Amino acid sequence: MKASHIRKLIKPIDSAYSEMFSGRVFRVGEGAVSVRNHSGEAQQTVIGVHGFLENHCYFTQTYDAPTTELILLTCSNYHIPVNGVTPETPDWEVPIKYLEGTIEYDACILNQALTNLPNTRNVRVHGHSRGGAVILEAIRQRPELYEDVEVVLEAPALPQGKVHPLVTTLLEPVSHGMWPWLIRLINSAPSSAYGQTFFGKMNPRKKQLLGKLFYATRDHLTIVRNIENIFDWMARTDTAVYQHVRHGTFLIPGVDRILDRSAMLASARQSPTTMRIIETQAPSHFVTLDSKEWLPGFESLPAAAQG
């Protein structure tokens, strides 16, 4: 990448979205992990891994039970979407050898969180879109951590997957130097100009969370690196990684204009029979924002089933 392009791309992007948050926030490398307070005794733990240009608020209303311990990743070089909490550096943080902004780097954040934070034996790790790839890469790196963990992959970026042809058509002519200009253009346009095409039918929560997508990262370079790394990771990662997933569910949307649904299904079907494939009627890439009805109940968690 040319130095002039990098200079344009590292210009900071101001945070434009946050919510009130009650809990603790731990900085881990260039990312973060937030642990929400829960009012009841925790019966299960959910670790949420957000997708490309999203933030951890994607999961907060999906998992709002007082007995759910909710642990939320903020991927590397993304803004932490919380108000009123000062991030702290945990004593369990370990340096990460991968390049920040990559699936491999964020998988290391996830594995550190999973190793050190859950307080229950009933653990679900839920990833949306790019977050699904982060989970699978984390499993590839440390398969032993996931033997008793349930995995939910929602509209996931998968090994040998592809993006939707519409996205490919839009991205192909974009050079590195064009990104800051293109993002300014997108941010100045009303979301109605492109929202219905890519996001499907809107509801209040989708409008809230998807209205400020291009402000999620701390700089434009992270956007470019995320995109290039997603393409590269899907192309070079083998479906053999599924052999390490003991308990899990693929949530496949009925309509997806971000990722290629047929490639997603073809990849999912390479997994062992312990992974369920639920073909939902969700009308967009954002399955659980469209409806929580397709999300598996906690009785499917491995420890709960053993009990």
Side-chain angles (χ1 to χ4, degrees):
M1 199 184 296
K2 291 181 182 176
S4 60
H5 290 163
I6 289 178
R7 277 198 300 275
K8 287 179 194 168
L9 292 170
I10 59 175
K11 186 179 177 184
I13 298 173
D14 292 332
S15 175
Y17 187 84
S18 62
E19 294 183 0
M20 288 303 296
F21 181 80
S22 173
R24 299 175 77 184
V25 178
F26 301 101
R27 286 200 183 279
V28 181
E30 294 301 320
V33 184
S34 304
V35 183
R36 188 182 68 187
N37 291 335
H38 46 92
S39 55
E41 184 180 348
Q43 293 176 8
Q44 58 273 326
T45 300
V46 176
I47 304 179
V49 187
H50 66 79
F52 173 55
L53 296 183
E54 297 169 4
N55 64 56
H56 79 209
C57 301
Y58 190 89
F59 300 100
T60 52
Q61 291 189 10
T62 301
Y63 295 106
D64 55 1
T67 54
T68 297
E69 176 183 51
L70 187 60
I71 299 170
L72 299 160
L73 248 69
T74 291
C75 290
S76 49
N77 293 337
Y78 275 65
H79 291 294
I80 308 170
V82 302
N83 294 327
V85 181
T86 303
E88 52 192 289
T89 301
D91 55 11
W92 45 260
E93 182 197 14
V94 177
I96 296 171
K97 64 182 179 181
Y98 296 103
L99 184 67
E100 62 258 27
T102 62
I103 288 164
E104 291 83 355
Y105 189 103
D106 296 335
C108 291
I109 300 175
L110 171 57
N111 283 340
Q112 290 189 46
L114 179 59
T115 302
N116 294 286
L117 291 173
N119 286 304
T120 78
R121 288 176 58 240
N122 292 317
V123 180
R124 167 180 292 174
V125 183
H126 180 164
H128 176 246
S129 196
R130 178 183 180 271
V134 170
I135 291 170
L136 290 172
E137 174 62 25
I139 293 169
R140 193 192 66 76
Q141 291 180 15
R142 297 281 309 277
E144 74 284 359
L145 293 179
Y146 292 83
E147 287 183 8
D148 294 317
V149 168
E150 184 204 30
V151 169
V152 174
L153 304 176
E154 176 190 343
L158 295 176
Q160 306 305 304
K162 296 175 183 173
V163 299
H164 191 278
L166 196 57
V167 176
T168 306
T169 304
L170 286 172
L171 291 181
E172 272 178 345
V174 179
S175 69
H176 290 132
M178 290 170 65
W179 270 104
W181 174 83
L182 179 67
I183 290 165
R184 278 197 296 272
L185 181 69
I186 292 168
N187 283 339
S188 65
S191 60
S192 57
Y194 56 85
Q196 195 77 17
T197 302
F198 293 104
F199 305 157
K201 187 177 179 183
M202 299 301 277
N203 59 43
R205 188 60 173 162
K206 283 172 85 171
K207 282 181 183 174
Q208 228 180 353
L209 292 180
L210 304 181
K212 299 287 186 182
L213 285 180
F214 284 92
Y215 296 93
T217 61
R218 301 205 299 252
D219 55 42
H220 296 103
L221 182 60
T222 302
I223 296 174
V224 177
R225 193 174 281 165
N226 274 191
I227 290 171
E228 292 181 342
N229 177 246
I230 289 167
F231 277 88
D232 178 56
W233 186 90
M234 288 195 297
R236 66 179 157 78
T237 304
D238 194 274
T239 55
V241 68
Y242 295 137
Q243 69 187 334
H244 301 299
V245 185
R246 299 279 182 266
H247 318 271
T249 303
F250 296 95
L251 291 179
I252 309 295
V255 176
D256 196 322
R257 294 204 177 97
I258 307 289
L259 294 175
D260 186 309
R261 185 180 184 276
S262 58
M264 203 189 307
L265 265 176
S267 178
R269 286 173 179 150
Q270 299 302 309
S271 68
T273 53
T274 49
M275 286 284 283
R276 291 183 299 174
I277 298 174
I278 299 179
E279 293 189 57
T280 73
Q281 299 304 305
S284 80
H285 182 66
F286 306 92
V287 178
T288 57
L289 295 188
D290 286 325
S291 174
K292 293 196 281 188
E293 67 183 286
W294 298 293
L295 193 65
F298 287 126
E299 66 278 359
S300 63
L301 265 62
Q306 287 166 18

Coordinates of all heavy atoms in Angstrom, one line a residue, residues 156-229:
P156 N -22.8 -16.1 9.1 CA -21.4 -16.0 9.3 C -20.6 -15.9 8.0 O -20.9 -16.5 7.0 CB -21.1 -17.3 10.1 CG -22.1 -18.3 9.6 CD -23.3 -17.5 9.3
A157 N -19.4 -15.3 8.1 CA -18.3 -15.4 7.1 C -17.7 -16.7 7.4 O -17.2 -17.0 8.6 CB -17.4 -14.2 7.3
L158 N -17.6 -17.6 6.5 CA -17.2 -19.0 6.7 C -16.0 -19.4 5.8 O -15.8 -18.8 4.7 CB -18.4 -20.0 6.4 CG -19.6 -19.8 7.4 CD1 -20.7 -20.8 6.9 CD2 -19.2 -20.1 8.8
P159 N -15.3 -20.4 6.1 CA -14.3 -21.0 5.2 C -14.9 -21.3 3.9 O -16.0 -21.9 3.8 CB -13.8 -22.3 5.9 CG -14.1 -22.0 7.4 CD -15.4 -21.2 7.4
Q160 N -14.2 -20.9 2.8 CA -14.6 -21.1 1.4 C -15.9 -20.3 1.1 O -16.6 -20.6 0.1 CB -14.8 -22.5 1.1 CG -13.6 -23.4 1.4 CD -12.3 -22.9 0.7 OE1 -12.3 -22.7 -0.5 NE2 -11.3 -22.5 1.5
G161 N -16.2 -19.3 1.9 CA -17.4 -18.5 1.7 C -17.1 -17.4 0.7 O -16.0 -17.2 0.2
K162 N -18.1 -16.6 0.4 CA -18.0 -15.5 -0.6 C -18.9 -14.3 -0.1 O -19.9 -14.6 0.6 CB -18.4 -15.9 -2.0 CG -17.5 -16.9 -2.6 CD -18.1 -17.3 -4.0 CE -17.3 -18.5 -4.6 NZ -18.0 -19.0 -5.8
V163 N -18.6 -13.1 -0.6 CA -19.6 -12.0 -0.3 C -20.6 -12.0 -1.4 O -20.4 -12.7 -2.5 CB -18.9 -10.7 -0.3 CG1 -17.9 -10.6 0.9 CG2 -18.2 -10.3 -1.6
H164 N -21.7 -11.4 -1.2 CA -22.8 -11.3 -2.2 C -22.2 -10.6 -3.5 O -21.4 -9.6 -3.4 CB -24.0 -10.5 -1.6 CG -25.2 -10.5 -2.5 ND1 -25.4 -9.7 -3.6 CD2 -26.3 -11.3 -2.4 CE1 -26.6 -10.0 -4.1 NE2 -27.1 -11.0 -3.4
P165 N -22.7 -11.0 -4.7 CA -22.2 -10.4 -5.9 C -22.3 -8.9 -6.0 O -21.5 -8.2 -6.6 CB -23.0 -11.1 -7.0 CG -23.4 -12.4 -6.4 CD -23.5 -12.2 -4.9
L166 N -23.4 -8.4 -5.3 CA -23.6 -7.0 -5.3 C -22.5 -6.2 -4.6 O -22.1 -5.2 -5.0 CB -25.0 -6.7 -4.6 CG -25.7 -5.3 -4.8 CD1 -25.9 -5.0 -6.2 CD2 -27.0 -5.3 -4.0
V167 N -22.0 -6.8 -3.5 CA -20.9 -6.2 -2.7 C -19.6 -6.3 -3.5 O -18.9 -5.3 -3.6 CB -20.8 -6.9 -1.4 CG1 -19.6 -6.4 -0.6 CG2 -22.0 -6.8 -0.5
T168 N -19.4 -7.4 -4.2 CA -18.2 -7.6 -5.1 C -18.2 -6.5 -6.1 O -17.2 -5.9 -6.4 CB -18.2 -9.0 -5.7 OG1 -18.3 -10.0 -4.7 CG2 -16.9 -9.2 -6.5
T169 N -19.3 -6.3 -6.8 CA -19.4 -5.3 -7.8 C -19.1 -3.9 -7.3 O -18.4 -3.1 -8.0 CB -20.9 -5.3 -8.4 OG1 -21.2 -6.6 -8.9 CG2 -21.0 -4.3 -9.6
L170 N -19.5 -3.6 -6.1 CA -19.3 -2.3 -5.5 C -17.8 -2.1 -5.1 O -17.2 -1.0 -5.2 CB -20.1 -2.0 -4.3 CG -21.6 -1.8 -4.5 CD1 -22.4 -1.8 -3.2 CD2 -21.8 -0.4 -5.2
L171 N -17.2 -3.2 -4.6 CA -15.8 -3.1 -4.1 C -14.7 -3.2 -5.1 O -13.6 -2.6 -4.9 CB -15.6 -4.2 -3.0 CG -16.4 -4.1 -1.7 CD1 -16.0 -5.2 -0.8 CD2 -16.1 -2.7 -1.0
E172 N -15.0 -3.9 -6.2 CA -13.9 -4.1 -7.2 C -13.2 -2.8 -7.7 O -12.0 -2.8 -7.8 CB -14.5 -4.9 -8.4 CG -14.4 -6.4 -8.1 CD -14.9 -7.3 -9.2 OE1 -15.6 -6.7 -10.1 OE2 -14.6 -8.5 -9.2
P173 N -14.0 -1.8 -8.0 CA -13.3 -0.6 -8.5 C -12.7 0.3 -7.5 O -12.0 1.3 -7.8 CB -14.4 0.2 -9.3 CG -15.7 -0.2 -8.6 CD -15.4 -1.6 -8.1
V174 N -12.8 0.0 -6.2 CA -12.4 0.9 -5.1 C -10.9 0.7 -4.8 O -10.5 -0.4 -4.3 CB -13.2 0.7 -3.9 CG1 -12.7 1.7 -2.8 CG2 -14.7 1.0 -4.2
S175 N -10.0 1.7 -5.0 CA -8.6 1.6 -4.7 C -8.5 2.1 -3.2 O -9.4 2.7 -2.7 CB -7.8 2.4 -5.6 OG -8.0 3.8 -5.4
H176 N -7.3 1.8 -2.6 CA -7.1 2.3 -1.3 C -7.2 3.8 -1.1 O -7.8 4.2 -0.1 CB -5.6 1.9 -0.8 CG -5.5 0.4 -0.7 ND1 -4.4 -0.3 -1.2 CD2 -6.2 -0.5 0.0 CE1 -4.5 -1.6 -0.9 NE2 -5.6 -1.7 -0.2
G177 N -6.8 4.5 -2.1 CA -6.9 6.0 -2.0 C -8.3 6.5 -2.0 O -8.5 7.6 -1.6
M178 N -9.2 5.7 -2.6 CA -10.6 6.2 -2.7 C -11.4 6.0 -1.4 O -12.5 6.5 -1.3 CB -11.3 5.4 -3.9 CG -10.8 5.8 -5.2 SD -11.4 4.6 -6.5 CE -13.2 4.9 -6.4
W179 N -10.9 5.2 -0.5 CA -11.7 4.8 0.6 C -12.2 6.0 1.5 O -13.4 6.1 1.8 CB -11.0 3.8 1.5 CG -11.4 2.4 1.1 CD1 -10.6 1.5 0.4 CD2 -12.6 1.7 1.3 NE1 -11.3 0.4 0.1 CE2 -12.5 0.4 0.7 CE3 -13.8 2.1 1.9 CZ2 -13.6 -0.5 0.7 CZ3 -14.8 1.1 1.9 CH2 -14.7 -0.1 1.3
P180 N -11.3 6.9 1.9 CA -11.8 8.0 2.7 C -12.8 8.8 2.0 O -13.8 9.3 2.6 CB -10.5 8.9 2.9 CG -9.4 7.9 2.8 CD -9.8 6.9 1.7
W181 N -12.7 9.0 0.7 CA -13.6 9.8 -0.1 C -15.0 9.0 -0.2 O -16.0 9.6 0.0 CB -13.1 10.0 -1.6 CG -14.0 10.6 -2.5 CD1 -14.3 11.9 -2.7 CD2 -14.9 9.9 -3.4 NE1 -15.3 12.1 -3.6 CE2 -15.7 10.9 -4.1 CE3 -15.1 8.6 -3.7 CZ2 -16.6 10.6 -5.1 CZ3 -16.0 8.3 -4.7 CH2 -16.8 9.2 -5.4
L182 N -14.9 7.7 -0.5 CA -16.1 6.9 -0.6 C -16.9 6.9 0.7 O -18.1 7.0 0.8 CB -15.7 5.5 -1.0 CG -16.9 4.5 -1.1 CD1 -17.8 4.9 -2.3 CD2 -16.4 3.1 -1.3
I183 N -16.2 6.8 1.9 CA -16.8 6.7 3.2 C -17.5 8.0 3.5 O -18.6 8.1 4.0 CB -15.8 6.3 4.3 CG1 -15.5 4.8 4.0 CG2 -16.4 6.5 5.7 CD1 -14.3 4.3 4.8
R184 N -16.8 9.2 3.2 CA -17.5 10.5 3.4 C -18.8 10.6 2.5 O -19.8 11.1 3.0 CB -16.5 11.6 3.0 CG -15.5 11.9 4.1 CD -14.8 13.3 3.8 NE -14.0 13.3 2.6 CZ -12.8 12.9 2.6 NH1 -12.1 12.5 3.7 NH2 -12.1 13.0 1.4
L185 N -18.7 10.0 1.3 CA -19.9 10.1 0.4 C -21.0 9.3 1.1 O -22.2 9.7 1.1 CB -19.5 9.5 -0.9 CG -20.6 9.5 -2.0 CD1 -21.0 10.9 -2.4 CD2 -20.2 8.7 -3.2
I186 N -20.7 8.1 1.5 CA -21.7 7.2 2.1 C -22.3 7.9 3.4 O -23.5 7.9 3.6 CB -21.1 5.8 2.5 CG1 -20.8 5.0 1.2 CG2 -22.1 5.0 3.3 CD1 -19.9 3.8 1.5
N187 N -21.4 8.4 4.2 CA -21.9 9.1 5.5 C -22.8 10.3 5.2 O -23.6 10.7 6.1 CB -20.7 9.4 6.4 CG -20.2 8.1 7.1 OD1 -20.9 7.1 7.2 ND2 -18.9 8.2 7.5
S188 N -22.6 11.0 4.1 CA -23.4 12.2 3.8 C -24.7 11.8 3.1 O -25.6 12.6 3.1 CB -22.6 13.1 2.9 OG -22.3 12.5 1.6
A189 N -24.8 10.6 2.6 CA -26.1 10.1 2.0 C -27.0 9.6 3.0 O -26.6 9.0 4.0 CB -25.8 9.0 1.0
P190 N -28.3 9.9 2.9 CA -29.3 9.3 3.8 C -29.2 7.8 3.7 O -29.1 7.2 2.6 CB -30.6 9.8 3.3 CG -30.4 10.2 1.9 CD -29.0 10.6 1.7
S191 N -29.3 7.1 4.9 CA -29.2 5.6 4.8 C -30.3 5.0 4.0 O -30.2 3.9 3.5 CB -29.3 5.1 6.3 OG -30.5 5.4 6.9
S192 N -31.4 5.7 3.8 CA -32.5 5.2 3.0 C -32.1 4.9 1.5 O -32.7 4.1 0.8 CB -33.7 6.1 3.0 OG -33.3 7.4 2.5
A193 N -31.0 5.6 1.1 CA -30.5 5.5 -0.2 C -29.9 4.1 -0.5 O -29.9 3.6 -1.6 CB -29.4 6.5 -0.5
Y194 N -29.4 3.4 0.5 CA -28.8 2.1 0.4 C -29.3 1.1 1.4 O -29.1 -0.1 1.2 CB -27.3 2.2 0.4 CG -26.7 2.8 1.7 CD1 -26.5 2.1 2.9 CD2 -26.5 4.2 1.8 CE1 -26.1 2.6 4.0 CE2 -26.0 4.8 3.0 CZ -25.8 4.0 4.1 OH -25.4 4.6 5.3
G195 N -29.9 1.6 2.5 CA -30.3 0.7 3.6 C -31.2 -0.4 3.2 O -30.9 -1.6 3.6
Q196 N -32.3 -0.1 2.5 CA -33.2 -1.2 2.2 C -32.6 -2.3 1.3 O -32.9 -3.5 1.5 CB -34.4 -0.6 1.4 CG -35.6 -1.5 1.3 CD -36.4 -1.5 2.6 OE1 -36.3 -0.6 3.4 NE2 -37.3 -2.5 2.8
T197 N -31.7 -1.9 0.4 CA -31.0 -2.9 -0.4 C -30.2 -3.9 0.4 O -30.3 -5.1 0.2 CB -30.1 -2.2 -1.4 OG1 -30.9 -1.3 -2.2 CG2 -29.4 -3.2 -2.4
F198 N -29.4 -3.4 1.3 CA -28.4 -4.2 2.0 C -29.0 -4.7 3.4 O -28.6 -5.8 3.9 CB -27.1 -3.5 2.2 CG -26.4 -3.2 1.0 CD1 -26.4 -2.0 0.4 CD2 -25.7 -4.3 0.3 CE1 -25.7 -1.8 -0.8 CE2 -25.0 -4.1 -0.9 CZ -25.0 -2.8 -1.5
F199 N -29.8 -3.9 4.0 CA -30.2 -4.2 5.4 C -31.6 -4.8 5.5 O -32.0 -5.2 6.6 CB -30.2 -2.9 6.3 CG -28.9 -2.1 6.3 CD1 -28.9 -0.8 6.5 CD2 -27.7 -2.8 6.0 CE1 -27.7 -0.1 6.5 CE2 -26.5 -2.1 6.0 CZ -26.5 -0.7 6.3
G200 N -32.4 -4.8 4.4 CA -33.7 -5.4 4.4 C -34.7 -4.4 5.1 O -34.3 -3.2 5.4
K201 N -35.8 -4.9 5.5 CA -36.8 -4.1 6.1 C -36.3 -3.6 7.5 O -35.8 -4.4 8.3 CB -38.1 -4.9 6.4 CG -39.3 -4.1 6.9 CD -40.5 -5.0 7.0 CE -41.7 -4.1 7.6 NZ -42.9 -4.9 7.8
M202 N -36.5 -2.3 7.7 CA -35.9 -1.7 9.0 C -36.9 -1.8 10.1 O -38.1 -1.9 9.9 CB -35.5 -0.3 8.7 CG -34.4 -0.1 7.6 SD -32.9 -1.0 8.0 CE -32.1 0.2 9.1
N203 N -36.3 -1.8 11.3 CA -37.1 -1.7 12.6 C -36.3 -0.7 13.4 O -35.2 -0.3 13.1 CB -37.4 -3.1 13.2 CG -36.1 -3.8 13.6 OD1 -35.1 -3.2 14.1 ND2 -36.0 -5.1 13.3
P204 N -36.9 -0.3 14.6 CA -36.2 0.8 15.4 C -34.8 0.4 15.8 O -33.9 1.2 15.7 CB -37.1 0.9 16.6 CG -38.5 0.6 16.1 CD -38.3 -0.5 15.1
R205 N -34.6 -0.9 16.2 CA -33.2 -1.3 16.7 C -32.2 -1.3 15.5 O -31.1 -0.9 15.6 CB -33.3 -2.7 17.3 CG -32.0 -3.1 18.0 CD -31.6 -2.1 19.1 NE -30.4 -2.6 19.9 CZ -29.6 -1.8 20.6 NH1 -29.9 -0.5 20.7 NH2 -28.6 -2.3 21.3
K206 N -32.7 -1.8 14.3 CA -31.8 -1.8 13.2 C -31.4 -0.4 12.8 O -30.3 -0.1 12.5 CB -32.5 -2.5 12.0 CG -32.4 -4.0 12.1 CD -33.3 -4.7 11.1 CE -32.5 -4.9 9.8 NZ -33.3 -5.8 8.8
K207 N -32.4 0.5 12.8 CA -32.1 1.9 12.5 C -31.0 2.5 13.4 O -30.1 3.2 13.0 CB -33.4 2.8 12.5 CG -34.3 2.6 11.3 CD -35.5 3.5 11.5 CE -36.5 3.3 10.3 NZ -37.7 4.0 10.5
Q208 N -31.2 2.2 14.7 CA -30.3 2.7 15.7 C -28.9 2.2 15.5 O -27.9 2.9 15.5 CB -30.8 2.1 17.1 CG -30.9 3.1 18.2 CD -31.3 2.5 19.5 OE1 -31.7 1.3 19.5 NE2 -31.3 3.2 20.5
L209 N -28.7 0.9 15.3 CA -27.4 0.3 15.2 C -26.7 0.4 13.8 O -25.5 0.4 13.7 CB -27.5 -1.2 15.6 CG -27.8 -1.5 17.0 CD1 -27.9 -3.0 17.2 CD2 -26.8 -0.9 18.0
L210 N -27.5 0.4 12.8 CA -26.9 0.4 11.4 C -26.8 1.8 10.8 O -26.2 2.0 9.7 CB -27.8 -0.5 10.5 CG -28.0 -1.9 11.0 CD1 -28.8 -2.7 10.0 CD2 -26.6 -2.6 11.3
G211 N -27.3 2.8 11.5 CA -27.2 4.2 11.0 C -25.8 4.8 11.0 O -25.6 5.8 10.2
K212 N -24.9 4.3 11.8 CA -23.6 4.9 11.9 C -22.5 3.9 11.7 O -21.4 4.0 12.3 CB -23.4 5.5 13.4 CG -24.5 6.6 13.7 CD -24.2 7.9 13.0 CE -25.1 9.0 13.5 NZ -24.8 10.3 12.7
L213 N -22.7 3.0 10.7 CA -21.7 1.9 10.5 C -20.3 2.4 10.3 O -19.3 1.9 10.8 CB -22.2 1.1 9.4 CG -23.3 0.1 9.6 CD1 -23.6 -0.7 8.3 CD2 -23.1 -0.8 10.7
F214 N -20.2 3.4 9.4 CA -18.8 3.8 9.0 C -18.1 4.7 10.0 O -17.1 5.3 9.7 CB -18.9 4.5 7.6 CG -19.0 3.4 6.5 CD1 -20.3 3.1 6.1 CD2 -17.9 2.8 6.0 CE1 -20.5 2.1 5.1 CE2 -18.1 1.8 5.0 CZ -19.4 1.5 4.5
Y215 N -18.7 4.8 11.2 CA -18.0 5.5 12.3 C -17.5 4.5 13.4 O -17.0 4.9 14.4 CB -18.9 6.5 13.0 CG -19.3 7.6 12.1 CD1 -20.5 7.6 11.4 CD2 -18.5 8.8 12.0 CE1 -20.9 8.7 10.6 CE2 -18.9 9.9 11.2 CZ -20.1 9.8 10.5 OH -20.5 10.9 9.7
A216 N -17.7 3.2 13.1 CA -17.4 2.2 14.1 C -15.9 2.0 14.4 O -15.5 1.7 15.5 CB -18.0 0.8 13.7
T217 N -15.1 2.2 13.4 CA -13.6 1.9 13.5 C -12.9 3.2 13.9 O -13.4 4.3 13.7 CB -13.0 1.4 12.2 OG1 -13.2 2.3 11.2 CG2 -13.6 0.1 11.9
R218 N -11.7 3.1 14.4 CA -11.0 4.3 14.8 C -10.3 5.0 13.7 O -9.8 6.1 13.8 CB -9.9 3.9 15.9 CG -10.6 3.3 17.1 CD -9.7 3.4 18.4 NE -8.4 2.8 18.3 CZ -8.1 1.7 19.0 NH1 -9.0 1.1 19.7 NH2 -6.9 1.2 18.9
D219 N -10.1 4.3 12.5 CA -9.6 4.9 11.3 C -10.0 4.2 10.1 O -10.6 3.1 10.2 CB -8.0 4.9 11.4 CG -7.4 3.6 11.7 OD1 -7.9 2.6 11.0 OD2 -6.5 3.5 12.5
H220 N -9.8 4.8 8.9 CA -10.2 4.1 7.7 C -9.3 2.9 7.3 O -9.8 2.0 6.6 CB -10.1 5.1 6.5 CG -11.0 6.3 6.6 ND1 -10.6 7.5 7.0 CD2 -12.4 6.4 6.4 CE1 -11.6 8.4 7.0 NE2 -12.7 7.7 6.7
L221 N -8.1 2.9 7.8 CA -7.2 1.8 7.5 C -7.8 0.5 8.0 O -7.7 -0.6 7.4 CB -5.8 2.0 8.1 CG -4.7 1.0 7.9 CD1 -4.5 0.8 6.4 CD2 -3.4 1.3 8.6
T222 N -8.4 0.5 9.2 CA -9.0 -0.7 9.7 C -10.1 -1.2 8.8 O -10.3 -2.4 8.7 CB -9.6 -0.4 11.2 OG1 -8.5 0.1 12.0 CG2 -10.2 -1.6 11.8
I223 N -10.9 -0.3 8.2 CA -12.0 -0.7 7.3 C -11.4 -1.5 6.1 O -11.8 -2.6 5.8 CB -12.8 0.5 6.8 CG1 -13.5 1.1 8.0 CG2 -13.8 0.1 5.7 CD1 -14.2 2.4 7.6
V224 N -10.3 -0.9 5.5 CA -9.6 -1.6 4.4 C -9.0 -2.9 4.8 O -9.2 -3.9 4.1 CB -8.6 -0.6 3.8 CG1 -7.8 -1.3 2.6 CG2 -9.2 0.7 3.3
R225 N -8.3 -2.9 5.9 CA -7.7 -4.1 6.4 C -8.7 -5.2 6.7 O -8.5 -6.4 6.4 CB -6.8 -3.8 7.6 CG -5.9 -4.9 8.0 CD -5.0 -4.5 9.1 NE -3.9 -3.7 8.6 CZ -3.1 -2.9 9.4 NH1 -3.3 -2.9 10.7 NH2 -2.1 -2.2 8.9
N226 N -9.8 -4.8 7.4 CA -10.9 -5.8 7.6 C -11.4 -6.5 6.3 O -11.5 -7.7 6.3 CB -12.1 -5.1 8.3 CG -12.0 -5.0 9.8 OD1 -13.0 -4.7 10.5 ND2 -10.9 -5.3 10.4
I227 N -11.7 -5.6 5.3 CA -12.2 -6.1 4.1 C -11.3 -7.1 3.4 O -11.6 -8.2 3.0 CB -12.6 -5.0 3.1 CG1 -13.8 -4.2 3.7 CG2 -12.9 -5.5 1.7 CD1 -14.1 -2.9 2.9
E228 N -10.0 -6.7 3.3 CA -9.0 -7.5 2.6 C -8.8 -8.8 3.3 O -8.6 -9.9 2.7 CB -7.7 -6.7 2.4 CG -7.8 -5.5 1.4 CD -6.5 -4.8 1.2 OE1 -5.6 -4.9 2.1 OE2 -6.4 -4.1 0.2
N229 N -8.8 -8.7 4.7 CA -8.5 -9.9 5.5 C -9.7 -10.9 5.5 O -9.5 -12.1 5.5 CB -8.2 -9.5 6.9 CG -8.0 -10.6 7.9 OD1 -8.8 -10.8 8.8 ND2 -6.9 -11.4 7.7

